[in-house]
Amino acid sequence: PDPIISGPSCVSGQAVLSTTENYDSYLWSNTNNTPTITVGPGTYSVTVTTTEGCSSTSAPFVVTAGPTALYTTDLPSPQLPGSSITFIDQSTVSGSTITDWLWIFDPLNGNSNTPNTTNLYTNPGTYPITLIVTAANGCTDTILGSFLIRPLDIIIPNVFSPNGDNVNEALVFENLQYYTNSLTIFNR
């Protein structure tokens, strides 16, 4: 047999390791004898045996501690137009250091390669936030998020006329989607 270990080489917690082929018995370097093992960072090998009694040991497989991407902001979401929001890296990694940051924002705010960055939001909307961090050991992690900028006002029409002339046919509240709301209609 020629056992080859498969699994993630970078983990933020635990990794599940297995072999690329099935064998009759397994003896992992951590004394486990199951086809798969769940492990943390470290170096692992497995000795496998076939039904014919032939055995072989795999090459060492290294599981490295990867980073956990995390960020916070100086102001909570949502905010109003004209807000300047600072995004603050809070990523961690065990046994290494974070060496690279890639913040990906909407096209108007572009990207940033610094641990902390600030963006000015002038228009209402939900803006995507992506942070990719890379540790000195080469492992990466990504976190996706969003930030809501809601408009200053809800625009409520004072009249609508569903009479078939294609003018003011529907009761439409502009910017309502940015606020928690309910509508109650009473007749006279």
Side-chain angles (χ1 to χ4, degrees):
D2 185 22
I4 297 172
I5 297 175
S6 68
S9 58
C10 291
V11 296
S12 296
Q14 303 234 311
V16 176
L17 303 182
S18 62
T19 57
T20 55
E21 295 181 36
N22 293 324
Y23 298 99
D24 285 333
S25 69
Y26 304 82
L27 180 59
W28 292 89
S29 55
N30 67 352
T31 70
N32 196 310
N33 61 2
T34 58
T36 63
I37 59 172
T38 302
V39 296
T43 302
Y44 302 93
S45 62
V46 63
T47 300
V48 298
T49 305
T50 64
T51 54
E52 295 82 19
C54 298
S55 64
S56 181
T57 302
S58 71
F61 187 88
V62 177
V63 177
T64 304
T68 300
L70 186 65
Y71 71 88
T72 189
T73 57
D74 65 336
L75 297 173
S77 178
Q79 291 294 315
L80 297 174
S83 295
S84 183
I85 309 300
T86 300
F87 296 89
I88 304 157
D89 174 56
Q90 291 190 324
S91 304
T92 59
V93 63
S94 178
S96 187
T97 57
I98 296 175
T99 57
D100 292 305
W101 297 262
L102 176 57
W103 294 92
I104 302 171
F105 299 100
D106 60 282
L108 294 176
N109 286 299
N111 300 338
S112 175
N113 295 100
T114 60
N116 305 321
T117 187
T118 301
N119 286 337
L120 175 64
Y121 293 96
T122 57
N123 296 313
T126 301
Y127 293 90
I129 312 298
T130 302
L131 172 60
I132 303 169
V133 292
T134 304
N137 59 22
C139 296
T140 64
D141 192 35
T142 302
I143 186 171
L144 305 174
S146 63
F147 200 91
L148 174 62
I149 300 295
R150 49 180 177 196
L152 296 172
D153 296 315
I154 298 173
I155 300 171
I156 303 171
N158 61 358
V159 65
F160 74 104
S161 56
N163 58 7
D165 67 357
N166 292 326
V167 178
N168 297 322
E169 292 294 313
L171 178 62
V172 177
F173 299 91
E174 292 182 36
N175 302 325
L176 195 60
Q177 69 269 27
Y178 298 107
Y179 296 90
T180 302
N181 61 78
S182 65
L183 174 65
T184 306
I185 299 176
F186 298 93
N187 66 15
R188 290 198 224 179

